Amino acid sequence: MIPASWLHDARRDLLANAGDRLALFTRGEGAYLWDDEGKRYLDFLAGIAVNSLGHAHPAFVEAVAAQAATLAHVSNYFATPPQLALAARLKRLAGTGESGRVYFSNSGAEANEAAFKLARLHGAPRDGAPGRPRILALTDAFHGRTMGTLALTGKPGMQEPFLPMVPGVEFLDSTIEALEAALDESVAALILEPIKGEAGVVPLPDGYLEAARELTRRHGALLILDEIQTGAGRTGEWFAFQHTGITPDAITVAKGIGGGFPIGALITYGEASELFYPGTHGSTFGGNALATAVAGAVLEEIESADLVTNARVRGAQVSEGILAIDSPLIAGCRGQGLLLGVALSRPVAKAVVAAAQEHGLVVNAANDDTIRIAPALTIGDVEIDEFLTLFAAALATVTDALLLDESSQPDDKEAAQ
Ligand SMILES: *Cc1c(COP(=O)(O)O)cnc(C)c1O
């Protein structure tokens, strides 16, 4: 088959660091996307949990236009009103209290790079004390693609082409026993995702975050939570850790807080706020007026429209609807709020994604047997009903293809005998 001309261009002009692009999208509005041929899709991925307000939301559009026409960038030698307003808002939403601080980056990986440096500063030998050389992370977790965050990412296959890694990171199974065995006074920090998004929307065991808080506090290690995928209201709380009673030492955010504008942040609590000192970190673009004005407008809209509650309520509605679909492919539904992973009974996630796209639905294969669902936080009954219809149709398409395969196998054998 001759590839579409845009795919031809993409293969010719873009580095092959990722697989082929799946479509050429030209326009979006709310929960819908349109491709270059004018076909409409229901978007239940939202740019991987990024477009919190959907596409082209008036609050987003107006914030971009107004701030671009006022002041976009001045560098971090200077402060701007939107930057200070967003820092104060993030502190309030994350519940840091007065002592919290915010560092702005342009992406999730950069937020985690800052967190990595925070951990090193905490672990540095000082006043004759030996220091804390170890950083703990979880097997199968994802923290980014830069060299620092790749070193924190517990996926050997991703690391392998880029060895050697930044040293000092150890990976644990996601059990409280593994935590108890690993934590001592040589650990600077434990970093983890409250729900492992890239691993297939895999929650931590019950009580895990509470145990992690207890053990890190007891041994003087930082507890750093990567809320890049789970934050900004997506799980039905502003941040996923708020489903528990704990307070971390730092969280990282990105994806959903900008609603499509690239921005990330490291948010610190209490004493962890005192670790960075002048000259220890920085970013030219990080927290510029344009990015922070847009993120401020996105968070304001999430707050005033109570989309955090909507994420909780609609998430329950979506997962109930999924479990009610009569398909042998559905093995379960994990996650919280509007970050859901549909567990498939067979490793056919890519086929389901392709069939969904045929039917006009965008979802994602988090891995071979999980479909990730992360729509805009604005969705309601109309979008959910349409999603359930399209998703059921996609599953049926794949089931039919599998049955064909199965029924054709014996014939093939017979033919071979
Ligand atoms: C997406 C993601 C990152 C990396 O963010 P980028 O903006 O792609 O650099 C890190 N951690 C988690 C949990 C993520 O979901």
Side-chain angles (χ1 to χ4, degrees), residues 6-375:
W6 67 264
L7 184 55
H8 177 269
D9 291 354
R11 287 176 179 168
R12 185 194 58 211
D13 297 337
L14 303 176
L15 271 174
N17 58 303
D20 273 337
R21 270 49 170 187
L22 301 173
L24 184 70
F25 287 126
T26 53
R27 190 165 74 81
E29 192 182 320
Y32 296 93
L33 284 165
W34 283 265
D35 71 12
D36 56 321
E37 292 172 353
K39 179 176 165 184
R40 192 183 85 147
Y41 300 78
L42 178 65
D43 182 8
F44 260 46
L45 181 60
I48 319 182
V50 166
N51 305 301
S52 309
L53 305 181
H55 300 282
H57 190 285
F60 179 90
V61 174
E62 280 158 29
V64 173
Q67 192 61 41
T70 305
L71 183 69
H73 179 87
V74 292
S75 93
N76 285 306
Y77 289 123
F78 312 98
T80 63
Q83 183 188 66
L84 299 180
L86 182 61
R89 184 186 290 271
L90 286 172
K91 283 177 60 174
R92 173 168 60 79
L93 298 177
T96 69
E98 177 62 27
S99 63
R101 296 286 184 270
V102 177
Y103 165 81
F104 288 114
S105 68
N106 313 290
S107 67
E110 286 172 281
N112 283 340
E113 287 285 345
F116 199 152
K117 287 176 85 170
L118 184 82
R120 283 283 204 259
L121 288 172
H122 180 65
R126 70 174 83 77
D127 307 331
R132 299 167 173 270
R134 299 166 63 214
I135 293 175
L136 305 179
L138 299 187
T139 302
D140 219 24
F142 179 80
H143 298 295
R145 299 284 202 156
T146 58
M147 287 305 295
T149 59
L150 188 58
L152 297 170
T153 291
K155 296 174 186 268
M158 269 192 196
Q159 294 188 342
E160 201 272 335
F162 303 103
L163 296 172
M165 286 292 113
V166 177
V169 183
E170 291 167 36
F171 296 101
L172 310 180
D173 289 340
S174 304
T175 65
I176 295 172
E177 297 74 55
L179 262 189
E180 279 169 344
L183 265 154
D184 63 24
E185 317 302 305
S186 68
V187 175
L190 167 67
I191 179 162
L192 49 91
E193 297 171 88
I195 299 173
K196 282 182 268 185
E198 300 302 299
V201 193
V202 181
L204 293 169
D206 282 344
Y208 187 94
L209 275 185
E210 291 86 342
R213 176 68 287 182
E214 218 290 295
L215 287 161
T216 47
R217 182 165 285 147
R218 190 191 306 162
H219 295 288
L222 299 180
L223 176 62
I224 301 172
L225 302 179
D226 179 341
E227 293 258 12
I228 288 165
Q229 196 156 154
T230 50
R234 178 150 296 277
T235 70
E237 291 284 352
W238 274 102
F239 301 100
F241 80 85
Q242 292 166 336
H243 290 285
T244 72
I246 70 152
T247 302
D249 296 298
I251 65 174
T252 52
V253 297
K255 291 200 166 88
I257 66 164
F261 205 99
I263 183 169
L266 168 70
I267 304 168
T268 59
Y269 296 72
E271 287 174 22
S273 303
E274 309 302 321
L275 288 165
F276 279 108
Y277 52 92
T280 41
H281 200 43
S283 161
T284 299
F285 291 138
N288 83 14
L290 185 52
T292 51
V294 178
V298 168
L299 296 180
E300 169 61 30
E301 179 65 22
I302 294 175
E303 231 179 325
S304 60
D306 199 7
L307 298 180
V308 181
T309 303
N310 199 56
R312 181 161 56 226
V313 173
R314 300 304 184 177
Q317 195 178 336
V318 173
S319 66
E320 273 165 34
I322 288 169
L323 292 173
I325 295 175
D326 183 20
S327 167
L329 283 179
I330 294 185
C333 188
R334 300 183 293 260
Q336 243 175 342
L338 287 173
L339 181 59
L340 296 172
V342 183
L344 302 177
S345 58
R346 288 159 175 255
V348 291
K350 284 212 170 72
V352 171
V353 167
Q357 195 170 319
E358 282 295 309
H359 286 280
L361 171 68
V362 176
V363 290
N364 158 258
N367 56 34
D368 288 346
D369 55 13
T370 310
I371 301 296
R372 176 169 38 189
I373 288 163

